Amino acid sequence: MLTMLLYVLIVGAVATILFLLASAVFGRSEEMGTVPKGTTATVLPVEGVTGADVRALRFQQVARGYKASEVDWALTRLAARIDELQYQLAMAQATQWQTPPAPEST
């Protein structure tokens, strides 16, 4: 019985050491401050989202990856901005084609 208890304790100690070692090696070692519930550290400008803004996006990591609500929020904002730009482009192209040609001089 003592042998079994000793075996369990040694296996537990080895597992703990391996876990801590793997966390140190494979962990990102980034510590973000805690964010109040219902808020986000993810930031995008209200207007004029650029490629640099998208590349600078950072999402808070949680136990199973990124916080899904923050990723969904950013993707919704980006999708809306893309739709807006596509609409503006379509309107600009439509007005370009509707401009009457200049009268010809004779």
Side-chain angles (χ1 to χ4, degrees):
M1 186 67 175
L2 182 61
T3 306
M4 181 70 120
L5 179 62
L6 188 58
Y7 177 75
V8 169
L9 290 175
I10 290 173
V11 168
V14 169
T16 302
I17 291 170
L18 288 176
F19 173 77
L20 294 174
L21 181 65
S23 296
V25 171
F26 298 110
R28 292 179 48 143
S29 300
E30 291 181 9
E31 291 189 23
M32 293 181 71
T34 57
V35 179
K37 189 169 180 75
T39 62
T40 180
T42 307
V43 178
L44 277 175
V46 174
E47 293 184 5
V49 176
T50 65
D53 295 327
V54 175
R55 284 185 286 279
L57 275 178
R58 296 293 175 258
F59 299 100
Q60 180 181 8
Q61 285 194 320
V62 292
R64 294 185 159 222
Y66 293 109
K67 196 171 184 180
S69 61
E70 289 184 6
V71 175
D72 292 343
W73 174 82
L75 293 176
T76 301
R77 289 280 314 276
L78 292 173
R81 181 67 176 146
I82 290 170
D83 291 343
E84 178 186 345
L85 292 172
Q86 288 175 337
Y87 175 76
Q88 289 175 358
L89 179 61
M91 293 303 291
Q93 289 174 341
T95 57
Q96 177 185 3
W97 293 109
Q98 291 177 356
T99 306
E104 294 181 19
S105 55
T106 56

